[in-house]
Amino acid sequence: MKNVNEAYELAKARYAELGVDTDAAIAKLKEIPLSVHCWQGDDVIGFDHDGPLTGGIQTTGNYPGKATTPEQLFEDYEKVFSLAPGKKKLNVHACYAIFEEDGFVDRDKLEPRHFKKWVELAKKYNTGIDFNPTFFSHPKIKDGLTLSSPDKATRDFWIEHGKACVRISEYFAKETGYPCVMNIWTGDGYKDVPADRMGPRMRYKESIEAILSEPFDPKLVKPCVESKVFGIGVESYTVGSAEFTLTYAATHENVLPLMDNGHYHPTEVVSDKIPALLCYWPEIALHITRGVRWDSDHVLLFDDETKEMAKEIVRCDALDRVYMALDYFDASINRVSAWVVGIRSWEKALLSAMVTPNAMLKSLQDENKLTELMMMQEEMKTMPFGAVWDKYCEECGVVAGPAWFDEIKKYEEEVQLKR
Ligand code: RNT
Ligand code: ZN
């Protein structure tokens, strides 16, 4: 892009007037890892089954060119990494196990060797891997339930899956040198009014305890529990509700709460929950998504709530205490472009938060100068942020401005549409 440096120098001077060091912000953001979900590439299907996506989550759309093999997914992932700036980590679901000559094993028997290729990809990018046991899209889900099922054999199968994932998570951490955030989410629940709400929760609690009785080094493996308010076909009752998971994490050593911002009632905002949890938790985890009217997992955009979440992480000085992961899936548009737009949106949100004069705004609040605070917050919205963003992209070696989409068009024509 033309004039990136000239525009940046002007912008830098404007920000300097407010006491903001844009060079420092750019340098810092380059070091902040963002966990990039592999499941945007193939509509949350994976490689271990032929069946549909189940468990209360859904993708909509059938844009051509979906990755259906590990090779294709890796190819797409690499394209994404070349078009989105910043330090990325891989985020893999257990259903993305890669079975080679020695063949298929079920989820309770998964071993590190089934993820060897993922480790090779991570090493290529000198990064780590986050991991997720997959408690959906599988015949052993009985009547919509996994870890909370009244059937012991069903629970045991899924507990064994969880334990296998703890071992794989530790393998990832040891191989890559980066801790592995291992997130437990199940879609367990009921479509209609249940007769017993506590029973499934007690069983869920015991099952998670059984999974995490598998020995692990808490410096290497960071287990999380993710809450949810409802799912498709599971509207009346969700076993892993917000209160359940937050209390589980609070009462069990070495377990973190994970908030997905699609998983609350529509007027609740995770931007307000982040600083609440940071008052108590040394570390928390996030799934960053965009819900449109429900937990629709639309592609993340640089919108107001996205910016507000990033602002909270930055102004609480918590960039090293919050594990940030993307979690959305759109099958109605080019999937690689969807991936890139979401990553770029979160990186923009973080950079924009980092060039906000947070200390000055805080002191206006503390001095009760609320008229001036409102005015300043509005003025900030028209600062020349775009010039700082373009500079960040160029420094990261990715295309600034919309020209990155030329690459998508080329890739779609030459690779995706030939699949
Ligand atoms: C579902 C949860 C969960 C999944 C992924 C695929 O509502 O958000 O995190 O999206 O595990
Ligand atoms: Zn999620």
Side-chain angles (χ1 to χ4, degrees), residues 6-23:
E6 291 86 335
Y8 176 68
E9 289 308 321
L10 292 173
K12 181 176 158 174
R14 286 279 308 280
Y15 280 99
E17 285 169 21
L18 299 171
V20 171
D21 181 346
T22 51
D23 286 343

Side-chain angles (χ1 to χ4, degrees), residues 39 183 185 226-227 258-260 263 287-289 297 327:
W39 51 93
N183 179 43
W185 172 77
E226 177 181 12
S227 70
L258 185 146
M259 295 191 290
D260 178 313
H263 291 187
H287 270 182
I288 306 159
T289 185
D297 286 304
D327 181 16

Side-chain angles (χ1 to χ4, degrees), residues 37 39 44 53 55-57 93 132-134 136 183 185-187 226-228 230-231 258 260 262-263 287 289 295 297 327-329:
H37 58 318
W39 51 93
V44 210
L53 174 61
I57 52 178
H93 244 285
N132 308 261
T134 309
F136 50 80
N183 179 43
W185 172 77
T186 73
E226 177 181 12
S227 70
K228 188 159 174 172
F230 83 96
L258 185 146
D260 178 313
H263 291 187
H287 270 182
T289 185
D295 179 30
D297 286 304
D327 181 16
Y328 58 81
F329 21 96

